Amino acid sequence: MIALASIPYVGPFLAFATSRFGLPLVVAGVVVFFYEGVPIGPLRDIPWAGPKLASLVDGRVDREYAAGGKAEAALWQEKLRLAAIAQAADTKTRQQDIDAAAQEYIDKQHSDAARISELVRAQKDEDNVPPDPTKPAVCKPAGISAGVSTRLDAIGR
């Protein structure tokens, strides 16, 4: 005790800390220090030393805050991952719809080309039929004759 009393500041502090009023204050200070820690401010941002120093002097509140931040970041990462999966599935579905529509259009063009060639063949057959002597002569309906149609097809109608 004599060694502690010889240090100028420790002796009066121990005397106050063990007094009737000092003991509750010291206990309250220890509780606040445990929960709040030592505020280190911008020292926390130093790349290597900041996290090491924070782990030493942070209180329970700061540790829980950091743990909550990590949990929230992990939750957001999971939500972003699920959103990316949903977006990829939606994009794939839309692309399949576009491909199906394009294939339907191409199929319709091929069927239209076949139908047009049948109509042209029927027109040519109709133009080459000799006139029926039992029917009176009439004018043909207005339209493009088979010869003109063939020449137009050659140049790309």
Side-chain angles (χ1 to χ4, degrees):
M1 187 72 126
I2 295 180
L4 293 177
S6 66
I7 300 175
Y9 295 110
V10 174
F13 176 74
L14 285 177
F16 176 74
T18 57
S19 71
R20 182 176 166 190
F21 297 109
L23 186 60
L25 289 176
V26 169
V27 169
V30 167
V31 168
V32 168
F33 176 75
F34 174 74
Y35 278 103
E36 295 298 328
V38 176
I40 58 175
L43 295 177
R44 189 179 306 274
D45 297 332
I46 297 172
W48 182 81
K52 299 286 185 196
L53 183 61
S55 69
L56 290 175
V57 297
D58 274 351
R60 183 170 185 257
V61 173
D62 291 330
R63 288 190 299 269
E64 292 297 322
Y65 182 80
K70 286 180 184 177
E72 192 69 24
L75 183 66
W76 272 104
Q77 288 297 323
E78 182 66 19
K79 285 183 180 181
L80 288 175
R81 187 183 68 81
L82 292 176
I85 290 171
Q87 180 67 31
D90 184 47
T91 302
K92 184 177 180 181
T93 303
R94 287 182 185 210
Q95 187 61 45
Q96 288 173 347
D97 292 345
I98 290 170
D99 292 343
Q103 187 61 42
E104 182 181 329
Y105 178 73
I106 290 169
D107 293 343
K108 184 166 174 28
Q109 279 186 333
H110 290 305
S111 67
D112 285 349
R115 200 167 27 152
I116 289 172
S117 67
E118 288 175 18
L119 290 174
V120 167
R121 196 174 335 109
Q123 177 71 31
K124 286 180 183 178
D125 291 344
E126 187 179 300
D127 286 346
N128 293 333
V129 172
D132 188 6
T134 60
K135 293 185 179 177
V138 293
C139 294
K140 283 186 157 185
I144 299 175
S145 70
V148 174
S149 177
T150 304
R151 287 191 294 263
L152 286 175
D153 282 339
I155 60 172
R157 172 166 40 141

